[in-house]
């Protein structure tokens, strides 16, 4: 699977912060039950790697990857834990080299035209616009489409169920990333039915 195919799996990529790996499997199953298969587990907690490993082992219908990948070591640890893709908030030469060598889809984050051009020079045409709302969101994506027509994006950061359709209507947007599918209070309460309902709502969003 390449990055283009990965982001075409569904209209929303949930950005998931897991503080307790013990709930990872139930959380993943709730999302998959709602039609969301591609899961980004952010490397922001000590439980993230264990969560990825458990999901990979026990939820075969999920496509699990690592978010907040900032270094070669992060990527290697995620791959060891079974990650099937990687997503970063930005891109460095070392990370670009590691990503190319990894053999898995990798989606680097960009926030400006120059960063997008640098990522393209490094071999990446599928990018994450981050933090989307803070750097111009829809207006920036429309502006980038003219001079950089080959690029496709997964905008992430500040997007919710209400703004997602406007992003998904853009021809250079494949999907959006968002944390609203996995609210902290729902995870704490193990309210998997609520998370499945949020996933169903997200998976029903139209894409181009």
């Amino acid at each position: 699977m390449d990055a283009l195919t990965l982001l075409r799996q569904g209209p929303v990529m949930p950005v998931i912060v897991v503080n307790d790996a013990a709930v990872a499997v139930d959380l993943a199953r709730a999302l998959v039950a709602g039609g969301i298969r591609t899961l980004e587990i952010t490397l922001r907690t000590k439980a993230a790697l264990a969560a990825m490993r458990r999901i990979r082992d026990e939820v075969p219908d999920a496509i699990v990857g690592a978010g907040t990948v900032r270094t070669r070591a992060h990527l290697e640890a995620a791959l060891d834990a079974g990650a099937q893709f990687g997503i970063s908030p930005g891109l460095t030469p070392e990370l670009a080299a590691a990503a190319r060598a990894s053999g898995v889809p990798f989606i680097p984050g960009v926030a400006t035209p120059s960063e997008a051009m640098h990522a393209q020079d490094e071999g990446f045409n599928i990018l994450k616009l981050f933090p989307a709302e803070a750097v111009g969101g829809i207006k920036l994506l429309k502006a980038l489409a003219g001079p950089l027509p080959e690029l496709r994006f997964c905008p992430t950061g500040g997007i919710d169920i209400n703004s997602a359709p406007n992003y998904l209507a853009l021809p250079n947007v494949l999907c959006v990333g968002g944390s609203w599918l996995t609210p902290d209070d729902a995870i704490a309460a193990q309210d998997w039915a609520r998370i499945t309902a949020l996933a169903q709502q997200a998976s029903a969003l139209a894409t181009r």
Side-chain angles (χ1 to χ4, degrees):
M1 181 182 297
D2 59 16
L4 181 64
T5 303
L6 175 74
L7 294 190
R8 283 180 168 164
Q9 296 300 305
V12 180
M13 171 94 69
V15 180
I16 306 168
V17 179
V18 179
N19 291 298
D20 181 1
V23 306
V25 169
D26 287 337
L27 174 58
R29 286 175 175 161
L31 290 164
V32 170
I36 298 294
R37 298 179 58 231
T38 309
L39 314 180
E40 176 189 343
I41 308 296
T42 66
L43 297 180
R44 302 180 192 174
T45 69
K46 294 180 180 179
L49 294 174
M52 277 186 276
R53 189 173 291 109
R54 291 191 181 193
I55 293 169
R56 184 69 191 274
D57 290 344
E58 300 183 47
V59 191
D61 290 334
I63 303 170
V64 62
T68 323
V69 177
R70 295 184 290 114
T71 66
R72 180 187 296 272
H74 283 166
L75 182 58
E76 291 174 350
L79 294 174
D80 286 344
Q84 293 163 278
F85 63 89
I87 298 180
S88 69
L91 188 65
T92 65
E94 181 187 31
L95 185 56
R100 286 193 299 269
S102 71
V104 301
F106 190 82
I107 301 162
V110 301
T112 68
S114 291
E115 290 176 4
M117 291 169 64
H118 169 68
Q120 191 173 26
D121 285 346
E122 292 280 8
F124 302 96
N125 287 331
I126 311 298
L127 308 174
K128 167 183 171 178
L129 181 71
F130 178 80
E133 285 285 280
V135 300
I138 289 171
K139 289 183 178 180
L140 178 57
L141 287 162
K142 287 181 176 179
L144 292 174
L148 300 171
E150 307 89 353
L151 300 183
R152 295 294 179 270
F153 294 90
C154 174
T156 304
I159 300 172
D160 59 24
I161 188 64
N162 296 312
S163 59
N166 295 324
Y167 279 93
L168 293 169
L170 300 177
N172 58 348
V173 170
L174 295 170
C175 72
V176 300
S179 58
W180 81 87
L181 280 74
T182 55
D184 290 341
D185 60 338
I187 295 175
Q190 298 189 27
D191 189 350
W192 309 128
R194 178 183 170 197
I195 288 176
T196 293
L198 290 169
Q200 288 172 331
Q201 185 183 36
S203 63
L205 293 172
T207 56
R208 293 180 64 89

